[in-house]
Amino acid sequence: MAIEIVPYGAQWTDAILQLQTHLWSPDVDLNRSYFGWKYLDNPYLQPPRLQLALVGRELIGMRGFWGARWRAGGSGETYDAPCAGDLVVEPSHRSGRVVQRILAAGAADLVSGGLPVALNFSAGARTQLASLLSGWRSAGGLEVAARGAEPPPPSRRDSAGAGVELGIETACRSAEMAGLASEVSRDGRIRHVRDAEWFAWRYRNPLSHYRFVYAWRERSESSGGRRLAGFAVLQGHRRRKPGRMHVADWEAEGPAVFGILLEAALRAGGFEEVTLWATSLADGARRRLAELGFGFVKPAPSLGRALRAGQTRSAVLVRQPGDPARSPAPCFGERPLLDLASWDLRGIYSDHY
């Protein structure tokens, strides 16, 4: 079986949409919307960068890189580093050889595209293993906070949460969310650029549905109106059980407002399960989650153990061009990418959400 790896061309779009019925959805029209949103409308990386595996003229596998822009350090400098995802192989051709050819082509594409590094927040345990064997490096597995369907405990508001007005909407208030993020996100950790353009694009994902919980405060009498004090974004997948929601993103002026947002979401939703990535949370936010009935699930201590147990294990993977054994540890500014403490991690960085 001779495998050829080729870059994306528009002539392959229909074949991609059919191949992705094994991963995205069985609905080709829905896949077309998702592909157009993620790759053709991406504001950070054009033209689309995909590696396509062919046998003859048959498309048997693909992997994509979707554009992302990151900010780190006190200067606010930005870094373009795409995210890898959408790795799929046609079932009759699934083998380590096909996957390794696709991964090797992706590494070569980093060199030809002049990209300093690629990231992956979406790889399952088996893809993580294949990636590590092909030169990717892991910053480590991610802790998850989770709670079931039991009612939240009685409401508790301290003085910091007093005077907050709540609203739950399906509309992304991108400009106001960006304004709040620019005010409170100043600790220098690595986070995605959180401007209005990104919020407006990111929350159009056709495979997901979102619910936005907003917290407002009245402005001073002199300025009038109200200002956004916090938001939390709950995500559900159109193909999965509707009662399972993930807190994909959030921002708040403090842990009290963060807790109020999550409590409002729990009371309004009636969800069977709510999860969020907890690795980057400050102590105050962790305490509030515990008060709301969330438990904290540590990642499996090793990838091998996760594979043996059949567990999913979210992680941060990093790939540099060339030979990683001869390359210094990658950094954005002075923040090393392979140190989880460098990151302000949110589920929305993953293409699962």
Side-chain angles (χ1 to χ4, degrees):
M1 178 178 66
I3 302 169
E4 180 184 8
I5 307 294
V6 302
Y8 169 74
Q11 71 273 23
W12 295 108
T13 299
D14 287 344
I16 289 170
L17 304 180
Q18 188 62 48
L19 177 66
Q20 286 290 353
T21 58
H22 300 293
L23 180 63
W24 293 343
S25 88
D27 184 336
V28 172
D29 289 334
L30 180 57
N31 292 349
R32 189 180 306 278
S33 296
Y34 184 71
F35 181 81
W37 163 77
K38 189 172 189 178
Y39 291 104
L40 304 182
D41 297 338
N42 186 283
Y44 305 113
L45 186 65
Q46 293 296 336
R49 306 188 83 92
L50 297 92
Q51 295 80 47
L52 308 179
L54 310 179
V55 172
R57 297 296 295 171
E58 179 189 2
L59 178 67
I60 65 164
M62 72 157 277
R63 213 288 176 78
F65 289 94
W66 49 285
R69 180 166 295 162
W70 307 90
R71 191 183 304 277
S75 67
E77 186 176 357
T78 61
Y79 306 83
D80 283 0
C83 296
D86 302 322
L87 177 62
V88 62
V89 176
E90 205 280 328
S92 64
H93 290 275
R94 285 178 183 167
S95 71
R97 181 173 174 230
V98 176
V99 170
Q100 289 300 323
R101 287 288 305 277
I102 293 172
L103 295 180
D109 196 33
L110 291 179
V111 176
S112 64
L115 297 169
V117 69
L119 306 167
N120 192 343
F121 303 91
S122 309
R126 293 190 180 278
T127 300
Q128 289 178 45
L129 177 60
S131 298
L132 294 175
L133 292 174
S134 70
W136 287 74
R137 291 191 275 180
S138 176
L142 304 184
E143 183 182 30
V144 174
R147 82 182 309 281
E150 66 277 5
S155 179
R156 177 185 69 80
R157 289 198 186 188
D158 55 26
S159 58
V164 171
E165 177 187 349
L166 295 168
I168 301 177
E169 304 177 9
T170 58
C172 174
R173 295 177 174 262
S174 55
E176 291 158 289
M177 292 163 67
L180 176 65
S182 69
E183 293 174 5
V184 302
S185 300
R186 295 178 178 172
D187 63 7
R189 288 182 298 168
I190 304 166
R191 55 174 54 85
H192 199 281
V193 166
R194 297 160 71 73
D195 57 19
E197 180 185 33
W198 183 70
F199 282 123
W201 170 76
R202 188 61 184 85
Y203 290 111
R204 293 201 303 268
N205 178 356
L207 290 184
S208 293
H209 56 85
Y210 300 101
R211 189 177 301 182
F212 299 85
V213 186
Y214 296 112
W216 308 92
R217 285 193 189 278
E218 293 296 323
R219 296 185 186 273
S220 64
E221 290 185 7
S222 59
S223 56
R226 61 181 187 172
R227 63 176 177 84
L228 190 64
F231 65 84
V233 184
L234 280 78
Q235 180 268 358
H237 198 283
R238 297 192 185 280
R239 290 182 57 208
R240 296 175 189 151
K241 207 168 182 180
R244 294 181 178 177
M245 299 292 283
H246 183 81
V247 184
D249 198 6
W250 61 87
E251 202 63 83
E253 62 183 23
V257 174
F258 174 74
I260 291 168
L261 289 165
L262 291 188
E263 182 183 341
L266 295 174
R267 292 191 183 283
F271 307 122
E272 293 182 19
E273 182 182 54
V274 178
T275 60
L276 75 158
W277 287 1
T279 297
S280 300
L281 290 177
D283 290 343
R286 295 175 70 89
R287 285 194 296 270
R288 192 68 186 102
L289 281 175
E291 292 169 356
L292 288 170
F294 283 83
F296 294 89
V297 182
K298 298 287 186 182
S302 70
L303 181 56
R305 187 171 296 185
L307 285 166
R308 289 192 295 273
Q311 298 175 349
T312 59
R313 183 180 185 267
S314 297
V316 177
L317 301 183
V318 180
R319 183 65 163 98
Q320 295 167 272
D323 183 357
R326 299 182 180 182
S327 303
C331 293
F332 287 165
E334 297 180 354
R335 297 281 181 166
L337 273 64
L338 294 172
D339 181 357
L340 286 179
S342 297
W343 290 91
D344 181 7
L345 292 163
R346 315 293 170 94
I348 200 63
Y349 300 166
S350 165
D351 58 6
H352 295 314
Y353 308 117

